Amino acid sequence: MRTEKPRRPRVAVIGAGFGGIWAAKHLANKPVDVVVVDKNNYHTFYPLLYQVAAAEVEPEHIVYPVRSILHKIPNAQFVMEEITQIDTEAKLLKTKHTDIWYDYLIISAGSVTNFFGTPGADKFAYPLREMDEAIELRNHILKCFEGAILTRDEEKRKRLLTFVIVGGGPTGVEYAGALAELIYRPLVKDYPNIDFNEVKLILLEAESVLIPGILESYKQYPLDRLEDLRVDVRLNSRVTEVTHDDVKLADGTVIPTETVVWTAGVKADDTVKAWGFATAKGGRIAVEPTLQVPDHPNIFAIGDTAYLEQDGKPLPMVAPVAIQQAKIAAENVLAAIEGQTQKEFRYKDPGTMLTIGRNAGVAEIKGRGFTGFIAWLLWLGVHLFKLIGFRNRILVLFNWALDYFFYERTVRLILR
Ligand SMILES: Cc1cc2nc3c(=O)[nH]c(=O)nc-3n(C[C@H](O)[C@H](O)[C@H](O)COP(=O)(O)OP(=O)(O)OC[C@H]3O[C@@H](n4cnc5c(N)ncnc54)[C@H](O)[C@@H]3O)c2cc1C
């Protein structure tokens, strides 16, 4: 896509996720042309992805077309392409089909699942990072119940009815809670021939605590709550191998199962390494405090793709980091155009929030913590507010209400 160079500087943004969309918003109506490039034509609201995999909300309700978002930004355009290479000399983004030129570049390409080199995990475990993975996981869980009715092999039935989640961070804990409520509520009604005492839901965490980083006084709450939901939480349990039929732990335990959900971590995509910038832990691009990529003053990296430490600790891979960095990156691009000094980024942590099934959650805001119903309500309100699109908010609220009042999940479909 080589067109005649316009008069205004062109800012290319890789990724229409939290960082990319917010960067484009901060460049709206500024004297630059913006081109947002993403391999998908939709923006995903990842905090609700686990609810797609737990048949709680429909996939379309948590995504939004990028072009619709960009309608409101007259100086922005969208290109649906996957960036494979970056030619920093010629200032070109390379894709399979075209070249996209830029004067300034903001990289916000997100992350992918990190299997930490665990044998078999990339082949047999189910990641929960992208929309298609969430749909595949939902299909698989429902198929396990269909398969359990049909099989006459007792060992096979036990494997089909054992669900293992690896990783006790926020996503693993939230998914364990949502899956328990799917299994022990609607699925009990759907599968009267299954003995639900045979069902096992296991959450494995390599460390000695769930949700690392949570306030000391709230560490016990998720454990108690998951126990109430019949989730078998096993701390200090490091996975050493995943096969089609089981998962093996460092202490020699073998858990027969055909479902291993991997929520143990994320890293930058290997493509990012191929772009040739210096990388840090997790293959992420090491950036200056101004978010500039070293030796490339016209290139900025933000969000999950970027690695930056604050007060000696790496910034977390969460949406508020990407959103706050998007603002500084956009301002620094404009400052660079005007020959002004670059601002340094400083993260303001808005807190942590998660739910563990209905009426239960943990919220930590500015050093104050809440658990139970209040935290759950706070989580609901904040996530509904942050979801893009009025229609999506109404539909998600409707699904939540249906689930809450009637224990009914409408999306128990196995789609091909
Ligand atoms: C299941 C799950 C639950 C989460 N829950 C929370 C939560 O509750 N709270 C929270 O704060 N954070 C949460 N996060 C983390 C949060 O979603 C990320 O930190 C955030 O999305 C990072 O924003 P980003 O812009 O860096 O990347 P993303 O939002 O991931 O966007 C990256 C975009 O880049 C595109 N892309 C990637 N590579 C290319 C390429 N080569 N060419 C073109 N386009 C490309 C992708 O398609 C994607 O649209 C969760 C993440 C997951 C996976």
Side-chain angles (χ1 to χ4, degrees):
M1 204 188 67
R2 280 207 85 136
T3 49
E4 215 171 281
K5 204 166 182 167
R7 282 179 291 111
R8 304 201 297 181
R10 182 189 254 199
V11 186
V13 179
I14 304 178
F18 284 104
I21 288 295
W22 263 261
K25 284 184 178 182
H26 288 294
L27 292 169
N29 300 311
K30 301 289 187 230
V32 289
D33 288 324
V34 180
V35 54
V36 177
V37 190
D38 200 298
K39 57 188 173 187
N40 298 315
N41 77 337
Y42 53 83
H43 166 89
T44 306
F45 189 73
Y46 291 108
L48 294 187
L49 194 66
Y50 78 90
Q51 297 202 349
V52 172
E56 209 166 340
V57 297
E58 306 214 18
E60 308 86 88
H61 297 171
I62 65 156
V63 293
Y64 205 77
V66 179
R67 288 186 183 279
S68 298
I69 301 172
L70 297 186
H71 281 167
K72 295 180 192 123
I73 307 177
N75 56 329
Q77 56 167 312
F78 176 63
V79 176
M80 187 178 134
E81 278 289 340
E82 179 166 4
I83 307 301
T84 49
Q85 278 175 32
I86 302 176
D87 182 342
T88 52
E89 287 292 311
K91 296 185 184 166
L92 285 178
L93 303 180
K94 304 249 175 200
T95 80
K96 237 189 210 172
H97 312 104
T98 188
D99 290 352
I100 299 162
W101 65 268
Y102 64 86
D103 297 302
Y104 293 88
L105 174 62
I106 299 177
I107 304 172
S108 191
S111 53
V112 295
T113 298
N114 192 352
F115 294 106
F116 302 102
T118 311
D122 57 345
K123 192 163 176 209
F124 298 109
Y126 287 81
L128 186 49
R129 178 65 185 88
E130 295 301 335
M131 180 55 80
D132 49 356
E133 294 167 351
I135 296 170
E136 193 186 343
L137 177 56
R138 180 186 79 188
N139 283 348
H140 171 77
I141 303 250
L142 296 172
K143 275 189 203 161
C144 284
F145 282 88
E146 296 297 337
I149 300 176
L150 292 179
T151 186
R152 290 171 185 215
D153 176 344
E154 192 179 330
E155 294 307 311
K156 168 101 180 153
R157 192 179 61 249
K158 283 184 181 160
R159 280 202 310 274
L160 286 170
L161 294 178
T162 300
F163 303 92
V164 177
I165 299 168
V166 181
T171 303
V173 169
E174 286 193 313
Y175 188 55
L179 190 56
E181 291 201 329
L182 168 72
I183 291 174
Y184 295 115
R185 301 278 190 184
L187 297 194
V188 169
K189 289 188 275 175
D190 283 359
Y191 299 96
N193 298 334
I194 287 181
D195 174 4
F196 276 76
N197 290 316
E198 279 192 340
V199 174
K200 283 189 194 150
L201 183 45
I202 302 166
L203 175 62
L204 301 175
E205 167 53 49
E207 303 294 326
S208 57
V209 67
L210 290 182
I211 318 166
I214 200 166
L215 279 180
E216 193 60 41
S217 42
Y218 297 108
K219 282 187 173 153
Q220 190 56 37
Y221 182 83
L223 289 167
D224 294 344
R225 175 66 188 148
L226 287 172
E227 196 184 330
D228 292 346
L229 290 169
R230 297 164 70 178
V231 179
D232 174 4
V233 180
R234 301 190 193 174
L235 301 174
N236 303 306
S237 298
R238 195 168 58 78
V239 172
T240 51
E241 191 183 353
V242 182
T243 71
H244 179 268
D245 290 339
D246 61 34
V247 53
K248 296 183 179 67
L249 308 187
D251 65 3
T253 308
V254 178
I255 306 171
T257 177
E258 294 190 15
T259 309
V260 177
V261 184
W262 197 272
T263 62
V266 287
K267 60 172 186 153
D269 195 331
D270 288 344
T271 325
V272 171
K273 235 181 233 165
W275 294 344
F277 305 116
T279 53
K281 204 175 159 204
R284 299 159 74 196
I285 301 173
V287 291
E288 312 273 8
T290 55
L291 307 177
Q292 284 163 306
V293 175
D295 304 324
H296 298 280
N298 63 330
I299 303 181
F300 298 77
I302 61 174
D304 285 5
T305 320
Y307 181 90
L308 180 65
E309 291 188 3
Q310 185 168 300
D311 305 327
K313 279 195 240 156
L315 289 173
M317 292 163 94
V318 291
V321 170
I323 291 170
Q324 291 177 31
Q325 288 185 333
K327 181 169 187 285
I328 298 300
E331 286 176 3
N332 279 349
V333 165
L334 298 172
I337 293 168
E338 286 166 15
Q340 291 172 359
T341 5
Q342 299 283 295
K343 272 188 196 164
E344 292 200 350
F345 176 74
R346 188 119 196 115
Y347 179 51
K348 293 187 195 89
D349 185 355
T352 307
M353 261 183 207
L354 67 136
T355 55
I356 315 166
R358 64 177 51 217
N359 296 339
V362 183
E364 217 180 284
I365 302 160
K366 293 189 177 157
R368 283 196 62 198
F370 309 87
T371 53
F373 184 69
I374 298 209
W376 178 76
L377 217 53
L378 265 171
W379 182 95
L380 248 58
V382 167
H383 284 76
L384 213 51
F385 175 72
K386 291 204 169 156
L387 194 62
I388 296 184
F390 180 71
R391 176 183 168 275
N392 283 1
R393 286 183 196 145
I394 295 293
L395 292 171
V396 165
L397 187 63
F398 177 73
N399 271 5
W400 283 350
L402 209 62
D403 184 23
Y404 190 78
F405 291 112
F406 303 107
Y407 296 105
E408 187 54 57
R409 294 197 181 177
T410 45
V411 262
R412 303 193 304 272
L413 307 172
I414 299 172
L415 297 174
R416 281 173 201 278

